[in-house]
Amino acid sequence: MDILEQSISGDLKPNASSQGELLLLRRQLQEHFSTIRASVVGNCINVALVVAAFWSSWSAAFFAILLLPFFGIMGSRVQDAAKFPKAKLDAVSLTRLKRKTEIKAGLLGTWWGGLMLTLISNGATPAQQILCACFGAGMMAGGAMNFRSLEKAGIYYLTGSGLLTCIGLATVGSAAGYAAVGMGICYFATLLVSVKSISKNIATRHEREFELRESAATINMLLADFSEQGSDLLIEFAHDGRLVNPTEQLAAAAKRPVETLAGQSLFDMLDEGSERDALVDHLTNSRIIRNHSVSLVIGSEKIWWSISARPVREQDGLYRGIVTDITAQRQAEEKVSYMAHFDALTALPNRFQFNQRLEQMLREAPDNVGLMYLDLDQFKVINDTLGHSFGDMLLKGVAKRLNQSIGSDEIVARLGGDEFAVLFKTNELRTIKAVGEQIIKSLENPFRLDDHDVIVGTSIGIAVSPDHGKDASTLLRNADLALYDAKDQGRNRQAVFEAGMDEAAQLRRSLELDLRGALGKSELCLHYQPLVRIDDGETLGYEALIRWEHPERGVVMPDSFIPIAEESGMIIPIGEWVIRQAMDDLTQWPEGKTVSINLSPAQMRSPSLITTMIQGLSKTGVDPKRICIEITENVLMQDSEANLATLHKLHEIGVQIALDDFGTGYSSLNYLRSFPFDKIKIDRCFVNEIDTREDCQAIVRSVVDLATSLGMTTTAEGVEREDQVAQLRSEGCGEVQGYLFSKAVPQSELTDLRKPFESHAERLVRLEERRVEKSDAAELLPQKLRRGVMK
Ligand code: C2E
Ligand code: CA
Ligand code: CA
């Protein structure tokens, strides 16, 4: 066989010029060698059978000589087959191997053909001739199958074996022999065509595969280039989600080494959920995937991918496509969606989400929903006077306390401004009111905002389904009406909707609208109520009490519109008007008379208060001592340091300060120590029953004692009966004010101004005389009082 090798190696030029041809050659040889074992076994069995059939006709030496080349060829072929997988795969080696295989095919075919020719033509019995014909045909077919991938080898083999076998059959000389020759030729021709066609098919199939691989490689190269340049990543995966040929870029995006990514399930990398399920469904049904968003966690970061891919190979369900990182876009979308559903300042659900939730709850349980509307008292004023940043801080604080006050089943939302709402999955009023109480309590405590203590109360309106409405809009409207009712009742209240609240709310709303134009239309005016010295009945001054002369409703009292003005912030311009008007009126009064002006807590925080005061004083030229500012305890509770500073400034200007309504609200004697008030006004509620109830007497006595010790005067408010005057005098109270002397009247009706000091003094004397007459002790009439009347 070495001789053979040498003979073909000399003139060998690789005819596999291109890579494709080389691979084809390799494929052909591979296919041929893959059947070599079966071929060798088949050959050996056939040889053994032939030897057995002709053993008696020929000598052992003949067989020995005959079998020597056969085993030589077989051995060499087995050797080739064994070496093939390890052999060098360059063009020269492969071409040489092919050539060798072709020569060996020719030799093997010729050996078989030669054997048949020898046996048939040398005295074979008819039975042996038939046997030889069968052997020849079988060997031709078997060989043809073995050499089918190598066309030339097949042709050489068939030619050698077929031609010589046919010649052998022709030597038989009978008709049957010639018929067999004819059949042999047909057989030979058919096998020849088959070998040619099969080998051609193999070549064509290979060519196609090669082209496909080439184009796939080109596409991959192009796509890799594309993915390196853009933000999109190439991805290939099987229909079961396994990643195929993961790119470096994909691995970098997944923050994993590329080798761990190959074969990894894409599904396993994604977050569980409907998006992933939909992707699995698309792949299972071999559908095209377009911009399919999925989320996954890489490291500790949640990211979003948009996957677009299409099946590229039907047989193995391979998908190819691109992945785009849409995290930034998704985050922006999520932010927009968050902003659409949540209030940016407090992070509570906003009105939109609140409405959605309410509608949903009404759908799920139409007869078991509770709704609470809340609105902060005085918020607008705090916002306007302390500034929006304080307003924001306050709202955040309120949101936090609201969240702490509600249970896990309830939803609190900010509807806008200082309006909040709570949704309940129950219509049980007891439960809802208990939460309301809790909210009121928690919001009553002051809020510490920077260096300011701010107090806001809240009013709450409640409506429940189905009693107060079955749909969202009715429930909302009725909770709103209940809220207005709660406000009308005073601060820190809650009210449940009742039929008839509608009217009250409408009245309030129309008053609010009208009030906005009242100042401009000069519908506001001041009435004055005298403050009388108890010793001698002298009118020391007057308290300015505002009235609204409404064109349709007539005179509206301050209790009906001051809360609305405070709520809406209109109290600031209205209060400034009161200051200017009271000072103007004061200029027309006799020297020595004072004017008392009421200030709302909101006005105390107004930066324009001091300016208004100073401007008024310089314009009118009145002595600041003749002005007394009346404030309530509320002013000292809220934002006390800033308010105390304002009070001190007013004092510095020379204005008097009175603590109004003392004894109501939180009533702490400590307030008396917090600022050097000039006067304390004891509230009507203690004065009312002072002539009959000892506890009221005791309270008034202790207030008067404390005030005296602190150098303050005392005024008793709401004095309506003479007995009250007597009692107040005996308790040491300095001044009185009430209907007993006069109601608040327009300036033009103030009789004291026309007849100074007379009317009340005379009246006091008359009263006292009557009392003394009654008690038969006229001499007890205080001399001082008489002197005052005589003046
Ligand atoms: P106030 O400062 O406590 O004023 C006294 C209130 O008691 C006045 O009611 C007065 O008419 C009423 N009154 C006086 N004597 C008697 C009496 O013998 N019996 C009874 N039952 N009532 C008496 P008015 O004028 O309705 O004012 C109510 C409240 O409105 C005032 O209470 C004050 O807090 C507020 N107010 C009035 N004018 C102004 C103002 O210009 N600015 C501010 N911020 N508040 C004002
Ligand atoms: Ca007052
Ligand atoms: Ca008062």
Side-chain angles (χ1 to χ4, degrees):
M1 285 299 123
D2 286 347
I3 308 156
L4 174 79
E5 205 151 300
Q6 277 161 18
S7 72
I8 56 172
S9 62
D11 61 346
L12 252 184
K13 262 196 229 108
N15 51 7
S17 54
S18 70
Q19 181 75 10
E21 283 169 11
L22 194 69
L23 286 172
L24 171 62
L25 186 53
R26 187 156 181 252
R27 169 72 72 86
Q28 288 169 327
L29 288 166
Q30 206 170 19
E31 192 145 337
H32 166 68
F33 286 127
S34 70
T35 57
I36 200 137
R37 221 179 270 166
S39 155
V40 170
V41 172
N43 272 282
C44 290
I45 291 170
N46 281 346
V47 163
L49 290 173
V50 170
V51 172
F54 289 90
W55 187 256
S56 54
S57 318
W58 296 83
S59 66
F62 168 77
F63 283 118
I65 294 165
L66 197 74
L67 287 176
L68 214 59
F70 172 79
F71 285 118
I73 297 167
M74 282 298 135
S76 162
R77 276 167 51 74
V78 169
Q79 212 180 2
D80 287 348
K83 274 200 253 165
F84 173 71
K86 292 171 236 147
K88 276 202 283 173
L89 299 174
D90 57 292
V92 176
S93 325
L94 287 177
T95 312
R96 186 187 295 153
L97 185 58
K98 186 188 172 204
R99 191 68 63 80
K100 266 163 70 180
T101 309
E102 287 164 357
I103 293 170
K104 283 172 200 169
L107 289 174
L108 187 64
T110 309
W111 185 85
W112 271 109
L115 179 66
M116 291 305 119
L117 172 63
T118 312
L119 293 178
I120 297 168
S121 57
N122 285 292
T125 62
Q128 284 176 329
Q129 286 169 353
I130 292 169
L131 196 68
C132 284
C134 291
F135 272 130
M139 285 323 296
M140 270 162 72
M145 281 312 291
N146 185 223
F147 295 107
R148 68 188 186 282
S149 61
L150 298 162
E151 187 185 347
K152 271 190 189 164
I155 293 169
Y156 295 165
Y157 176 85
L158 282 175
T159 311
S161 60
L163 207 64
L164 293 176
T165 306
C166 285
I167 295 170
L169 289 172
T171 59
V172 173
S174 65
Y178 293 126
V181 170
M183 270 171 61
I185 291 169
C186 285
Y187 206 38
F188 166 76
T190 311
L191 287 171
L192 205 67
V193 172
S194 300
V195 166
K196 279 189 137 206
S197 132
I198 290 173
S199 68
K200 198 173 168 196
N201 275 349
I202 290 174
T204 320
R205 202 176 70 215
H206 168 81
E207 224 167 83
R208 250 194 244 132
E209 274 178 26
F210 182 75
E211 275 170 14
L212 202 74
R213 223 176 307 153
E214 283 245 291
S215 66
T218 316
I219 289 169
N220 276 343
M221 216 170 69
L222 290 171
L223 290 178
D225 199 32
F226 156 84
S227 88
E228 255 170 41
Q229 286 168 18
S231 63
D232 295 338
L233 309 162
L234 286 166
I235 193 164
E236 278 189 341
F237 45 85
H239 66 281
D240 59 0
R242 266 180 308 103
L243 291 171
V244 180
N245 300 328
T247 61
E248 287 289 349
Q249 289 73 27
L250 185 74
K255 293 194 177 142
R256 290 175 55 166
V258 71
E259 27 329 327
T260 66
L261 225 49
Q264 150 88 43
S265 165
L266 174 66
F267 302 150
D268 288 350
M269 291 167 70
L270 306 179
D271 292 341
E272 281 177 21
S274 56
E275 281 117 349
R276 192 181 77 167
D277 296 347
L279 182 69
V280 173
D281 190 52
H282 284 322
L283 293 184
T284 316
N285 294 299
S286 304
R287 285 195 291 262
I288 293 178
I289 301 155
R290 286 198 181 88
N291 301 324
H292 189 89
S293 303
V294 284
S295 68
L296 62 162
V297 175
I298 293 179
S300 56
E301 211 183 327
K302 176 167 181 155
I303 63 157
W304 286 90
W305 280 356
S306 166
I307 301 178
S308 294
R310 56 171 64 234
V312 286
R313 263 204 320 254
E314 237 173 65
Q315 64 268 34
D316 55 2
L318 182 78
Y319 270 75
R320 183 179 292 145
I322 52 168
V323 163
T324 313
D325 190 323
I326 52 162
T327 311
Q329 184 191 330
R330 248 340 242 254
Q331 280 169 347
E333 278 169 16
E334 273 175 11
K335 201 167 173 192
V336 169
S337 156
Y338 179 86
M339 278 159 66
H341 290 88
F342 289 90
D343 171 49
L345 180 69
T346 60
L348 291 178
N350 62 8
R351 184 183 284 274
F352 177 72
Q353 196 190 158
F354 166 80
N355 284 337
Q356 279 187 329
R357 300 291 277 268
L358 175 59
E359 302 263 5
Q360 186 192 349
M361 279 163 74
L362 283 169
R363 269 197 306 276
E364 286 167 3
D367 291 340
N368 204 20
V369 174
L371 171 61
M372 185 185 268
Y373 242 31
L374 293 105
D375 167 310
L376 304 180
D377 297 326
Q378 307 260 354
F379 173 74
K380 197 162 167 26
V381 171
I382 291 168
N383 205 37
D384 290 350
T385 53
L386 290 180
H388 292 290
S389 60
F390 275 88
D392 287 355
M393 277 195 276
L394 179 61
L395 289 172
K396 277 195 210 169
V398 168
K400 200 170 159 195
R401 288 193 196 173
L402 285 177
N403 260 332
Q404 287 163 351
S405 306
I406 61 161
S408 56
D409 260 2
E410 283 109 55
I411 300 160
V412 59
R414 181 181 171 212
L415 304 185
D418 62 340
E419 277 178 51
F420 294 85
V422 184
L423 283 176
F424 292 82
K425 288 181 179 163
T426 177
N427 61 2
E428 207 182 281
L429 285 172
R430 207 160 43 93
T431 314
I432 299 173
K433 279 163 116 177
V435 175
E437 278 303 323
Q438 176 64 33
I439 289 175
I440 290 172
K441 231 195 221 158
S442 89
L443 294 185
E444 258 173 3
N445 297 323
F447 286 86
R448 186 87 188 145
L449 310 176
D450 276 356
D451 290 337
H452 301 260
D453 273 327
V454 174
I455 289 190
V456 278
T458 184
S459 305
I460 294 175
I462 298 167
V464 296
S465 75
D467 293 357
H468 308 142
K470 288 185 169 184
D471 59 282
S473 63
T474 314
L475 277 175
L476 285 168
R477 208 196 66 222
N478 290 344
D480 194 30
L481 290 173
L483 171 66
Y484 271 100
D485 188 72
K487 276 188 189 175
D488 282 345
Q489 289 171 31
R491 307 258 151 82
N492 290 332
R493 304 279 169 107
Q494 53 180 335
V496 178
F497 172 76
E498 279 168 26
M501 280 182 174
D502 213 355
E503 265 172 52
Q506 269 171 9
L507 173 76
R508 191 190 159 97
R509 226 169 280 148
S510 78
L511 272 183
E512 188 176 332
L513 277 176
D514 293 348
L515 188 58
R516 288 186 193 280
L519 252 185
K521 291 186 204 151
S522 305
E523 289 170 5
L524 299 178
C525 67
L526 292 182
H527 283 195
Y528 291 99
Q529 187 181 34
L531 287 121
V532 176
R533 187 156 58 202
I534 204 165
D535 282 351
D536 53 9
E538 185 176 330
T539 297
L540 299 170
Y542 303 90
E543 179 175 2
L545 294 162
I546 195 167
R547 301 290 179 263
W548 177 12
E549 285 168 357
H550 195 282
E552 287 139 34
R553 298 180 204 280
V555 176
V556 184
M557 298 302 276
D559 283 338
S560 305
F561 71 90
I562 291 288
I564 299 177
E566 287 177 338
E567 205 57 51
S568 59
M570 281 186 275
I571 192 67
I572 305 291
I574 291 176
E576 288 175 0
W577 174 83
V578 170
I579 293 170
R580 285 194 297 269
Q581 187 61 44
M583 284 196 199
D584 278 353
D585 290 347
L586 182 61
T587 54
Q588 298 167 34
W589 301 351
E591 259 319 300
K593 301 252 184 238
T594 62
V595 68
S596 296
I597 299 170
N598 291 286
L599 285 195
S600 285
Q603 287 177 271
M604 289 301 294
R605 288 189 296 267
S606 165
S608 55
L609 174 69
I610 302 291
T611 329
T612 311
M613 200 61 85
I614 292 172
Q615 279 174 354
L617 288 170
S618 62
K619 184 187 154 216
T620 55
V622 295
D623 182 356
K625 286 241 149 22
R626 294 175 65 197
I627 294 164
C628 182
I629 294 296
E630 296 193 1
I631 58 147
T632 57
E633 289 168 338
N634 277 345
V635 166
L636 296 168
M637 287 166 64
Q638 292 203 7
D639 198 13
S640 50
E641 278 164 39
N643 285 347
L644 279 174
T646 310
L647 285 179
H648 280 291
K649 266 189 215 153
L650 287 169
H651 241 186
E652 279 165 29
I653 296 170
V655 172
Q656 309 271 308
I657 313 284
L659 184 60
D660 202 359
D661 297 347
F662 190 78
T664 58
Y666 293 86
S667 269
S668 163
L669 291 172
N670 282 335
Y671 291 132
L672 292 179
R673 294 199 179 85
S674 64
F675 183 79
F677 290 101
D678 301 286
K679 186 191 281 184
I680 296 168
K681 296 185 80 173
I682 303 167
D683 192 71
R684 205 168 56 231
C685 62
F686 299 109
V687 177
N688 200 14
E689 294 180 277
I690 194 164
D691 44 351
T692 51
R693 280 176 56 171
E694 276 187 14
D695 54 342
C696 288
Q697 292 163 9
I699 290 169
V700 171
R701 193 177 308 135
S702 60
V703 173
V704 171
D705 285 351
L706 186 66
T708 313
S709 72
L710 293 168
M712 306 169 186
T713 57
T714 43
T715 304
E717 293 189 290
V719 178
E720 295 178 355
R721 294 184 300 275
E722 299 143 19
D723 293 351
Q724 291 170 323
V725 181
Q727 192 61 45
L728 286 163
R729 187 182 295 120
S730 72
E731 301 298 354
C733 184
E735 281 174 20
V736 278
Q737 179 184 359
Y739 293 168
L740 180 65
F741 308 101
S742 170
K743 287 199 168 190
V745 291
Q747 175 169 240
S748 57
E749 293 173 28
L750 284 176
T751 49
D752 313 68
L753 293 180
R754 292 199 299 271
K755 289 194 286 168
F757 315 124
E758 279 183 4
S759 56
H760 297 315
E762 277 172 356
R763 195 137 147 229
L764 271 180
V765 170
R766 210 174 54 246
L767 290 172
E768 193 60 23
E769 279 174 350
R770 221 189 301 156
R771 199 176 68 84
V772 170
E773 268 167 26
K774 254 199 245 164
S775 65
D776 240 350
E779 67 280 7
L780 286 178
L781 184 70
Q783 294 301 309
K784 235 176 173 183
L785 190 60
R786 281 183 184 281
R787 270 202 307 277
V789 176
M790 296 311 170
K791 245 195 254 176

